[in-house]
Amino acid sequence: MSELRYVHLGFGEESVEYQEAWQEQRRVHAARFADEIPDTCLLLEHPPVYTAGRRTADSERPLDGTPVVDVDRGGKITWHGPGQLVGYPILKLPRPVDVVAHVRRLEEALIRTATEFGLETTRLEGRSGVWVLGDPVAERPAIGGLSLDFDPRLRDDEFDPRLNGPEYAPSNAGQRREDRKLAAIGIRVAKGVTMHGFALNVNPDNTWFDRIVPCGIRDAGVTSLANELGRDLTIAEVLPVLEKHLRDVLEGAAPKPREVERASV
């Protein structure tokens, strides 16, 4: 893979509106497809915004009518905002395109970043992104006085955690000692070039996630580096560490397309 170029679009008071950043992604994507620029990763913060991938259900959107931007990436609904480091790697992949391998590389860079700050994270089977594991189910505290065997989030199709207060709020998953997502990933590949990317929770107000069903997952929650480490942390501290690991993983991977199996004659 070619040398990775970083572009800082804006942080803090200069955070970038989602639609503006999406338009910039399209421009960079076209230039990368035409080989006018090298592989490029846009890094930024957004003002508060909900974005919904193609698989988002109506029952996962905000109940209060808060606007949601529908986008062309994979995945479901999530939130972006202050304290969250967002990256849009726009890379030309080898053919045949291996989308899963690209997602795994992004996860690896984020896992290495968390490790450098002293936080152990992992992947979860069937759930993209980077996770902090909770306690074994049998050792978790009961919710609302109910045994976990009767957790309504899992047993009642009509149960809505958005209506049932802090006990079920995604931002309180750490108190419940459940699995919680530190970084979300949602991508699109068009003409062999990637778009969209990842969002790493550094020190955001995670209660924004309580208005939705984040990523469509009802039995887990969200967290941040600051929450897990028990100290304040800034985007400025995390940015160079993340850039280093993205460069190591994306430039050093030398990704190869999967072998095509041919039937013997």
Side-chain angles (χ1 to χ4, degrees), residues 225-245:
L225 285 170
N227 283 350
E228 297 297 329
L229 297 173
R231 64 181 179 89
D232 194 24
L233 203 62
T234 66
I235 296 286
E237 291 176 77
V238 177
L239 186 59
V241 178
L242 176 63
E243 288 183 349
K244 176 184 69 174
H245 290 298

Side-chain angles (χ1 to χ4, degrees), residues 33-106:
F33 175 70
D35 288 326
E36 297 171 355
I37 61 172
D39 288 337
T40 299
C41 183
L42 308 178
L43 294 162
L44 63 151
E45 274 180 284
H46 286 302
V49 61
Y50 293 104
T51 71
R54 294 185 297 263
R55 297 189 299 110
T56 302
D58 289 343
S59 61
E60 296 159 355
R61 295 171 180 263
L63 285 170
D64 59 4
T66 300
V68 175
V69 179
D70 288 284
V71 296
D72 57 356
R73 61 166 170 79
K76 294 198 170 191
I77 192 167
T78 192
W79 172 84
H80 299 308
Q84 186 185 73
L85 178 49
V86 175
Y88 298 130
I90 300 175
L91 318 174
K92 181 170 283 192
L93 299 180
R95 294 183 180 274
V97 169
D98 191 337
V99 177
V100 174
H102 175 60
V103 171
R104 294 293 170 264
R105 287 191 288 272
L106 296 181

Side-chain angles (χ1 to χ4, degrees), residues 131-157:
W131 293 80
V132 177
L133 289 182
D135 292 349
V137 172
E139 299 176 15
R140 296 177 190 172
I143 301 176
L146 295 174
S147 163
L148 288 174
D149 291 338
F150 296 96
D151 186 340
R153 295 173 300 172
L154 303 179
R155 305 181 67 89
D156 183 351
D157 291 340

Side-chain angles (χ1 to χ4, degrees), residues 216-227:
I217 298 172
R218 297 178 182 273
D219 60 332
V222 295
T223 191
S224 67
L225 285 170
N227 283 350

Side-chain angles (χ1 to χ4, degrees), residues 118-132:
L119 177 61
E120 181 179 353
T121 58
T122 188
R123 299 175 177 89
L124 282 183
E125 184 68 29
R127 294 181 170 180
S128 67
V130 174
W131 293 80
V132 177

Side-chain angles (χ1 to χ4, degrees), residues 141-144 153 159-178 206-207 209-211 218 220-222:
I143 301 176
R153 295 173 300 172
F159 180 83
D160 193 332
R162 298 170 299 173
L163 295 170
N164 284 271
E167 285 182 329
Y168 296 94
S171 61
N172 288 333
Q175 297 177 31
R176 298 191 299 269
R177 304 205 299 269
E178 294 177 339
N206 279 336
T207 60
F209 289 100
D210 296 344
R211 302 185 191 183
R218 297 178 182 273
V222 295

